[in-house]
Each structure stands twice: as C-alpha cells, then as structure tokens.
Amino acid sequence: MSEELLREIHATVTKQTKEELLKHSEHLKIPIGEVIDMLLSGTSIKDPEQASALIRDYIEMITSSQNAEQLERTFFLIMGFCFNAIIETKKYNFEETLSAMVANSRTFQEYLKKSKSDET
C-alpha cells in the first residue's frame, strides 16, 4: 500500500481484540493494520483461502457466546445465504452446488458436534 495513504495510530484494546487481530494477521500473512482496514473498510480479498480464513475466524468470534441451538441456526442461515450466492452467480449448476455442499456438510456436522460437546 502506498505510504501516502498510510497513517499510524495507537489504540488501547482488550486482550481478546489484540489476540484476534494477531490471529487474523498470522492466518492472512498481512500486517495488523491491513486486517483492520479489511474489517472496517470492506476491502475485498481475492485469495479464496485468505477470504475463507478471515470469514471463519470472524464467524467463530461473533458466535462464541451462542449455545448449540443458536449456533446451529446461525450456520443454517449462513449456509443458505452462501448457497443462494453461488447459484446466483450462474457459474455453477444447482445439482453440482448441492452435491458439493452435502459433501462438505460432514465438516459442518463435526463442528456442531464439537461445539455441543464443548458446552457440556
């Protein structure tokens, strides 16, 4: 990023916020300032692995206080949104997209089971 666009700031944040910013920075292999820019300015991420890592971490963070039922409903709504977004691009057909989502649902089910067992 151009030096003329950059501004240095100093901020006092909670320990959890600092840890989350560091985790995002490590996952995405970018400086913390760029993580903040992405989160606040809606900067697009072109790399699918980086985008999915940030989304996963963000979902994990914002759902951390949900119980198993709330978490399951949240993921159900997110999956519906993602499914519709994929179909609307018209780059994939319905059957292929549904098959891929079913194949990936095992990971989702394992995550839900782990979340439920962590609560007890």
Side-chain angles (χ1 to χ4, degrees):
M1 190 174 291
S2 168
E3 287 295 320
E4 62 192 41
L5 295 176
L6 299 177
R7 300 293 181 267
E8 186 173 329
I9 65 168
H10 299 276
T12 302
V13 297
T14 65
K15 180 180 177 184
Q16 181 182 1
T17 299
K18 179 181 177 183
E19 290 169 0
E20 289 296 326
L21 287 170
L22 288 170
K23 183 168 75 170
H24 291 314
S25 177
E26 289 174 19
H27 269 138
L28 300 173
K29 297 177 178 59
I30 59 175
I32 289 175
E34 287 186 39
V35 173
I36 294 169
D37 285 341
M38 279 192 293
L39 293 171
L40 297 177
S41 67
T43 303
S44 178
I45 301 173
K46 291 183 181 181
D47 181 88
E49 283 74 27
Q50 285 186 339
S52 62
L54 183 62
I55 291 167
R56 183 190 62 239
D57 291 347
Y58 189 68
I59 289 171
E60 207 173 276
M61 180 180 62
I62 63 174
T63 61
S64 63
S65 65
Q66 290 185 347
N67 64 35
E69 185 178 317
Q70 293 167 324
L71 188 62
E72 187 172 346
R73 177 73 177 148
T74 298
F75 283 137
F76 177 78
L77 293 170
I78 291 169
M79 288 175 66
F81 171 78
C82 291
F83 184 75
N84 286 331
I86 291 168
I87 296 301
E88 287 176 7
T89 65
K90 300 188 183 355
K91 293 180 182 175
Y92 305 96
N93 76 30
F94 181 82
E95 290 80 16
E96 289 174 357
T97 302
L98 186 57
S99 295
M101 289 187 75
V102 169
N104 288 321
S105 71
R106 287 190 182 91
T107 303
F108 173 68
Q109 291 169 353
E110 290 169 8
Y111 182 85
L112 287 176
K113 285 179 186 174
K114 182 183 180 313
S115 296
K116 287 179 184 178
S117 67
D118 287 349
E119 287 183 1
T120 56

